[in-house]
């Protein structure tokens, strides 16, 4: 049953019942109409309380119904207007969550009581749409335009205590929200309801409000580059100022349909469900997320307190896991300790502002130089710099010091997890946990399974990711895993574009207009050019190990761009040295400006190597870079390193600044059309046979030959997950 009704004296309690999150599916909406109608007509009923089963009010509209005929049956806003117009007082008892349509339903009620643990919000913008059941019209009438705009455009989940301050809820209770709502309902029987009907409230407009909305548009254009939903949200809220409630609703509806026509909601909803699917990992043995039990992690340790290690310590502490943090010498320990403590203070401050007690919400951190102190921890994460010998030395030590069932994780961004595991007595307990910088902020975690990694270790690492609030994706062990492996051909194309006549700012601008948080050159400057340079030097691609007589722009018979190496040889490592692809105000500076030195250097380089300049074409920049990424993605699928295209997209959306409204590189390839992607790559590769990364992947050819089936069908065509080195 989608909703049930019972009588508590003269109060009817209608309970939405649609596990797991009480989404307002068509059957729930039908049930609400029926139960509410009967309660309204029942002379024994003097007031009505709405709540959700399983201590969750509602997560809003059933996202799976969008684009289907089910969404057209019984509109949520019709239900909301009926509730609002009720002559009997209606109180929402909010436990757990009231999100999207869930909050819109609660806003139609005359009163709202929330449990202290509850969160409310209008997160529609995060799935590419806007609140479309009156939310953009009722919320500004309740809490004012500026506060409502912030809630709607950011889509954040607001804790009950803040919701009370904002005026979204009338009462917050520590105990049972349902009992409190019933009590309130009884108390207000017979009170006038007019002022409680939000659709009747008037918003007074003034020029400040107009300026405020105009500024919000400009800010949103910059902040959400290319995303249409935030702008539609602002326009809908603007309508609440100028139009009657009913005209505003019509505007909300029109904006919803025009957003749908852009294709962005479909991409963002694909991204939403792909994230949920990533948690449902499968293994070639047939084992799955729901067959394997994770071990509890009560204590953890982090080795290395560089940028990554510090972020990991904070993540663990925020998940209330006590951490032991280790460094190799007293001086580095002191530096790391100061940095961690200052980050922890910031977290404690945030908790205080939310009304929580930091000491009960943050795990303790103990700093030491002594590996002996790790003997009882459940899990260790090594986060030292990328050097195989150093990592092996640490894992040897860990293997002898840690208790036999402790899990040993490496935060390598691409080294061989099996080789690291091979020096331990427990390769089955070794697993890769590749965090992204800054690790306390970035949501992505690549969990890398080695040949011998046990299913329990996989389940435990995936579960830990969830506990840390991350989206964990299980991948196979190959050089650079998934995300960084795909970055190779992408950055290669970016460099070739510079050789062929573009400048870093032009390539970055094209990719940022496409929607990337940062273009490739800004990203390299931020990450530090020296990191890749060190790795290329170790591989003999640059530096003294390159055989005499090797052409400057060729390695092992393939095309090679030495541009980044030359920059590094001139001490240009990016932001950290104040010079890289851009110039910065000072070493460590963040604001990059185009650098005349780079322009001059590129012009001389092109002249020296007699490279013909291509006519400028921003579309070509995007195609070459984005298709290079997707092509490597197809190879990764062929190799079984990622088990489905959705996992690759989750990695790019959450770790590499890919615009979510384009779904991810694989979704993008699918939406452009696989035959077109194939054709573009084929043409490029024919003209550039010395660039093997652009040779169309076998799987791409196979899928294009099948006419480019929908992305959810690709899974049937890909290999079994393996480890490939
Ligand atoms: C025309 C009227 C328009 C109305 C606009 C809307 O209401 S649009 C919907 C707005 N609501 C949201 O965007 C909420 C989306 N959901 C979440 O943020 C989270 O799922 C959650 C509710 C905070 C719960 O998070 P938690 O981590 O506890 O669980 P999961 O995310 O794993 O979700 C559990 C399963 O529930 C499915 N699900 C969640 N929300 C919805 C939804 N609104 N519609 C349909 N399904 C939903 C989710 O997919 C999980 O199911 P699986 O089968 O496991 O994938």
């Amino acid at each position: 049953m989608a909703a049930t009704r019972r009588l508590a004296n003269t109060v009817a309690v209608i309970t939405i019942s649609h596990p797991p999150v009480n989404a307002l599916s068509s059957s729930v909406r039908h049930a609400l109409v029926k139960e509410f109608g009967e309660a309204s007509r029942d002379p024994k009923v003097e007031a009505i309380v709405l709540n959700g089963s399983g201590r969750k009010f509602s997560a809003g509209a059933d996202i799976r119904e969008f684009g289907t005929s089910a969404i057209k049956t019984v509109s949520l806003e019709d239900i909301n207007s009926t509730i609002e117009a009720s002559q009997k007082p209606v109180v929402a008892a909010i436990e757990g969550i009231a999100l999207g349509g869930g909050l819109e339903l609660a806003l139609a009620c005359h009163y709202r009581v929330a449990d202290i643990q509850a969160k409310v919000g209008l997160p529609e913008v995060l799935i590419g749409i806007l609140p479309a059941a009156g939310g953009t019209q009722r919320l500004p009438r309740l809490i004012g335009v500026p506060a409502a705009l912030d809630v709607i455009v950011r889509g954040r989940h607001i804790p009950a205590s803040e919701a009370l301050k904002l005026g979204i809820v009338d009462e917050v209770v520590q105990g049972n929200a349902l009992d409190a709502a019933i009590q309130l309902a009884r108390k207000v029987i017979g009170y006038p309801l007019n002022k409680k009907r939000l659709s009747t409230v008037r918003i007074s407009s003034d020029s400040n409000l107009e300026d405020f909305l105009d500024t919000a548009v400009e800010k949103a254009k910059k902040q959400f580059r290319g995303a249409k939903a935030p702008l539609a949200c602002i326009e809908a809220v603007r309508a609440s100022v100028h139009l009657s409630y009913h005209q505003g609703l019509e505007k909300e509806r029109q904006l919803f349909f025009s957003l749908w026509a852009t294709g962005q909601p479909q991409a963002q909803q694909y991204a939403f469900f792909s994230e949920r699917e990533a948690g449902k990992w499968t293994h070639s043995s047939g084992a799955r997320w729901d067959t394997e039990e994770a071990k509890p992690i009560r204590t953890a340790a982090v080795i290395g307190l560089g940028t990554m290690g510090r972020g990991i310590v904070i993540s663990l502490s925020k998940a209330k896991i006590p951490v032991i943090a280790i460094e190799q010498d007293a001086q580095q320990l002191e530096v790391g300790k100061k940095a961690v403590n200052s980050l922890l203070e910031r977290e404690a401050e945030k908790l205080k502002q939310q009304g929580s007690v930091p000491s009960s919400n943050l795990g303790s951190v103990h700093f030491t130089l002594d590996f002996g102190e790790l003997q009882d921890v459940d899990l260790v994460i090594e986060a030292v710099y990328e050097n195989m010998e150093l990592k092996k030395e640490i894992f040897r030590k860990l293997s002898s010091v840690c208790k036999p069932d402790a899990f040993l994780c490496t935060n390598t961004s691409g080294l061989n997890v099996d080789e690291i595991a091979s020096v331990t007595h427990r390769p089955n307990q070794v697993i890769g946990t590749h965090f992204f910088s800054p690790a306390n902020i970035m949501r992505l975690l690549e969990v890398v399974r080695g040949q011998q990694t046990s299913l329990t270790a996989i389940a435990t690492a995936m579960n830990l990711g969830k506990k840390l609030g991350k989206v964990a994706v299980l991948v196979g062990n190959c050089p650079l895993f998934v995300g960084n492996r795909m970055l190779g051909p992408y950055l290669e194309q970016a460099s070739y574009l510079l050789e062929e006549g573009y400048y870093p700012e032009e390539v970055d601008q094209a990719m940022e207009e496409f929607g990337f948080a940062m273009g490739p050159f800004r990203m390299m400057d931020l990450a530090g050019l020296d990191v890749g340079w060190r790795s290329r030097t170790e591989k003999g691609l640059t530096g003294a190990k390159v055989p005499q007589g090797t052409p400057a722009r060729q390695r092992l018979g393939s095309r090679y761009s030495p541009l980044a190496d030359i920059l590094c040889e001139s001490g240009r490592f990016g932001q950290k040295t104040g010079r890289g692809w851009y110039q910065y105000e000072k070493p460590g500076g963040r604001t990059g400006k185009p650098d005349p030195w780079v322009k001059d250097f590129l012009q001389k380089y092109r002249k020296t190597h007699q490279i013909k300049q291509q006519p400028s074409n921003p579309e070509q920049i995007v195609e070459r870079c984005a298709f290079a990424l997707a092509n490597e993605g197809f190879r990764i699928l062929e190799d079984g390193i990622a088990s489905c295209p959705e996992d690759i997209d989750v990695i790019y959306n959450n770790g590499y600044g890919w615009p979510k409204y384009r779904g991810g590189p694989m979704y993008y390839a699918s939406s452009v059309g696989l035959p077109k992607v194939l054709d573009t790559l084929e043409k490029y590769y024919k003209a550039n046979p010395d660039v093997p990364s652009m040779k169309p992947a076998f799987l791409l050819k196979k899928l294009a030959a099948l006419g480019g089936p929908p992305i959810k069908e690709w899974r049937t065509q890909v290999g079994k997950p393996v480890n490939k080195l």
Side-chain angles (χ1 to χ4, degrees):
M1 236 178 309
T4 56
R5 181 164 50 94
R6 67 182 172 89
L7 200 59
N9 282 325
T10 57
V11 178
V13 177
I14 299 176
T15 304
I16 302 164
S17 185
H18 185 38
V21 292
N22 294 328
L24 302 169
S25 62
S26 163
S27 59
V28 171
R29 298 196 305 275
H30 275 107
L32 278 176
V33 170
K34 175 176 168 286
E35 300 304 339
F36 196 83
E38 286 175 11
S40 303
R41 288 187 295 272
D42 186 343
K44 294 193 289 304
V45 172
E46 291 183 282
I48 300 168
V49 166
L50 265 185
N51 79 330
S53 64
R55 299 187 60 80
K56 285 185 182 116
F57 188 76
S58 168
D62 188 333
I63 304 169
R64 289 185 206 275
E65 280 186 358
F66 289 140
T68 72
S69 56
I71 197 75
K72 294 185 189 128
T73 66
V74 191
S75 103
L76 183 56
E77 171 47 21
D78 285 351
I79 298 175
N80 291 346
S81 340
T82 308
I83 292 177
E84 196 189 70
S86 165
Q87 296 306 313
K88 300 176 182 179
V90 187
V91 182
I94 301 175
E95 290 176 312
I97 41 161
L99 299 174
L103 180 58
E104 291 177 296
L105 182 63
L107 289 174
C109 298
H110 306 119
Y111 297 90
R112 288 156 291 281
V113 175
D115 164 51
I116 183 76
Q117 303 292 343
K119 293 210 167 140
V120 304
L122 293 174
E124 286 87 342
V125 70
L126 306 177
I127 51 167
I129 56 172
L130 78 167
T136 63
Q137 305 304 301
R138 283 197 179 91
L139 193 62
R141 286 172 162 84
L142 179 64
I143 64 171
V145 169
L149 201 71
D150 179 66
V151 170
I152 295 171
V153 173
R154 287 168 66 196
R156 65 198 177 92
H157 295 188
I158 299 158
S161 52
E162 190 187 341
L164 181 66
K165 278 189 209 148
L166 285 170
I168 299 176
V169 298
D170 302 286
E171 205 178 310
V172 170
V173 293
Q174 292 279 352
N176 187 320
L178 178 58
D179 286 350
I182 296 174
Q183 258 185 40
L184 177 65
R186 282 207 185 106
K187 199 171 101 186
V188 296
I189 292 168
Y191 280 35
L193 290 173
N194 269 353
K195 287 196 177 145
K196 298 291 170 188
R197 296 191 175 106
L198 295 179
S199 70
T200 63
V201 174
R202 260 185 61 87
I203 299 177
S204 53
S205 166
D206 61 38
S207 58
N208 288 345
L209 209 47
E210 273 311 306
D211 289 348
F212 174 79
L213 287 163
D214 291 343
T215 311
V217 170
E218 290 317 308
K219 240 169 91 183
K221 277 186 186 159
K222 278 196 200 118
Q223 192 180 349
F224 306 107
R225 55 174 71 101
K228 307 279 186 217
L231 299 175
C233 287
I234 301 171
E235 286 323 302
V237 172
R238 196 193 288 276
S240 76
V241 179
H242 297 297
L243 304 178
S244 71
Y245 179 78
H246 289 286
Q247 288 168 326
L249 263 192
E250 183 49 32
K251 180 80 184 169
E252 189 186 82
R253 212 177 71 88
Q254 282 169 8
L255 286 163
F256 180 89
F257 287 115
S258 57
L259 277 177
W260 196 256
T262 64
Q264 293 193 358
Q266 293 85 332
Q268 278 175 261
Q269 287 160 30
Y270 157 85
F272 173 85
F273 287 116
S274 298
E275 277 181 26
R276 267 97 203 138
E277 283 304 305
K280 297 175 183 167
W281 56 272
T282 54
H283 189 266
S284 51
S285 64
R288 295 156 39 109
W289 63 284
D290 52 354
T291 60
E292 299 310 310
E293 207 172 316
K295 292 273 188 221
I297 301 302
R298 295 188 190 92
T299 51
V302 175
I303 320 280
L305 288 177
T307 313
M308 287 308 295
R310 291 171 199 172
I312 298 171
V313 170
I314 303 297
S315 280
L316 290 162
S317 169
K318 277 170 73 180
K320 300 190 202 173
I321 300 175
V323 196
I324 300 180
I326 292 211
E327 252 301 350
Q328 58 181 0
D329 68 44
Q331 199 196 345
Q332 292 192 29
L333 185 71
E334 206 38 49
V335 174
K337 185 175 173 178
K338 258 196 196 149
V340 167
N341 283 340
S342 125
L343 286 167
L344 280 174
E345 272 165 30
R346 256 188 260 167
E347 291 301 334
E349 196 46 48
K350 272 193 228 158
L351 285 169
K352 269 193 218 150
Q353 278 169 11
Q354 288 165 12
S356 304
V357 184
S359 56
S360 58
N361 280 288
L362 289 173
S364 62
V365 183
H366 169 67
F367 298 88
T368 182
L369 292 170
D370 180 7
F371 267 73
E373 293 192 38
L374 302 187
Q375 58 185 1
D376 290 326
V377 295
D378 296 322
L379 177 138
V380 183
I381 302 174
E382 161 277 308
V384 301
Y385 72 91
E386 287 293 86
N387 178 289
M388 181 55 92
E389 287 320 306
L390 177 61
K391 289 191 190 263
K392 281 183 175 171
E393 188 190 316
I394 287 169
F395 274 75
R396 268 187 214 105
K397 260 195 216 169
L398 292 175
S399 179
S400 66
V401 169
C402 295
K403 62 183 182 184
D405 57 349
F407 297 99
L408 309 182
C409 310
T410 170
N411 178 48
T412 174
S413 56
L415 295 178
N416 184 348
V417 172
D418 290 330
E419 190 175 338
I420 295 171
S422 71
V423 301
T424 71
H425 303 300
R426 55 178 102 173
N428 57 322
Q429 302 277 100
V430 176
I431 191 159
T433 47
H434 178 203
F435 289 79
F436 287 71
S437 184
N440 50 322
I441 297 189
M442 295 290 283
R443 285 189 74 221
L444 179 63
L445 178 69
E446 275 186 331
V447 171
V448 189
R449 53 187 156 74
Q451 291 284 4
Q452 300 193 55
T453 304
S454 70
L455 296 170
T456 308
I458 293 175
T460 305
M462 292 295 285
N463 200 47
L464 178 69
K466 191 160 185 185
K467 204 165 170 199
L468 300 186
K470 310 246 172 247
V471 39
V473 183
L474 183 63
V475 301
N477 183 27
C478 71
L480 302 175
F481 317 135
V482 172
N484 285 347
R485 173 170 157 183
M486 286 168 69
L487 215 48
Y490 169 77
L491 296 182
E492 194 180 80
Q493 281 305 312
S495 284
Y496 296 162
L497 286 161
L498 295 195
E499 292 188 338
E500 292 159 25
Y502 291 100
Y503 292 98
E505 54 276 19
E506 290 173 318
V507 177
D508 282 347
Q509 191 186 344
M511 297 315 287
E512 285 161 15
E513 277 171 7
F514 176 77
F516 263 93
M518 220 179 265
F521 296 103
R522 277 187 214 290
M523 185 187 77
M524 282 189 261
D525 270 4
L526 174 69
L529 293 173
D530 51 324
V531 183
W533 187 42
R534 206 178 310 129
S535 146
R536 291 192 297 277
T537 309
E538 273 169 27
K539 286 185 196 149
L541 291 170
T542 187
K545 284 197 227 158
V546 177
Q548 285 272 318
T550 305
R553 298 177 59 230
Q554 227 183 59
R555 296 291 182 274
L556 308 167
S558 296
R559 181 168 166 190
Y560 179 81
S561 171
L563 291 177
D565 299 335
I566 303 172
L567 255 63
C568 288
E569 283 156 16
S570 324
R572 301 180 73 103
F573 292 171
Q575 289 188 2
K576 61 175 88 164
T577 56
R579 296 274 184 275
W581 294 109
Y582 292 89
Q583 57 176 327
Y584 298 84
E585 64 278 21
K586 57 175 194 262
R590 304 263 154 189
T591 324
K593 284 198 305 197
D595 190 341
W597 183 93
V598 173
K599 191 167 189 182
D600 184 54
F601 155 68
L602 286 173
Q603 282 167 351
K604 284 188 186 136
Y605 174 91
R606 291 172 198 140
K607 213 167 166 186
T608 309
H609 296 285
Q610 296 169 355
I611 304 170
K612 214 173 94 200
Q613 289 219 189
Q614 301 288 335
S616 173
N617 177 356
E619 213 174 283
Q620 186 199 42
I621 299 178
V622 171
E623 270 192 355
R624 279 173 56 181
C625 293
F627 292 177
L629 270 180
N631 196 37
E632 193 60 28
F634 283 111
R635 287 206 187 93
I636 283 172
L637 288 172
E638 265 167 43
D639 293 353
I641 293 297
S643 54
C644 56
E646 289 88 344
D647 280 359
I648 296 179
D649 285 337
V650 170
I651 289 173
Y652 260 76
N653 289 336
N654 291 288
Y656 293 85
W658 179 279
K660 257 193 193 165
Y661 61 81
R662 292 192 194 270
M666 309 316 284
Y667 183 91
Y668 179 65
S670 162
S671 58
V672 167
L674 298 189
K676 173 173 161 92
V677 177
L678 176 62
D679 184 56
T680 310
L681 286 168
E682 257 167 356
K683 280 191 186 129
Y684 180 89
Y685 183 58
K686 206 168 159 201
N688 301 274
D690 57 346
V691 184
S693 62
M694 294 295 265
K695 181 176 177 185
F698 173 74
L699 179 62
L700 167 61
K701 284 188 182 166
K702 186 170 159 187
L703 290 167
L706 291 171
I711 198 161
K712 57 179 184 295
E713 289 170 25
W714 295 6
R715 222 180 251 248
T716 55
Q717 304 293 328
V718 303
K720 276 202 162 196
V722 290
N723 290 322
K724 198 166 190 173
L725 286 162

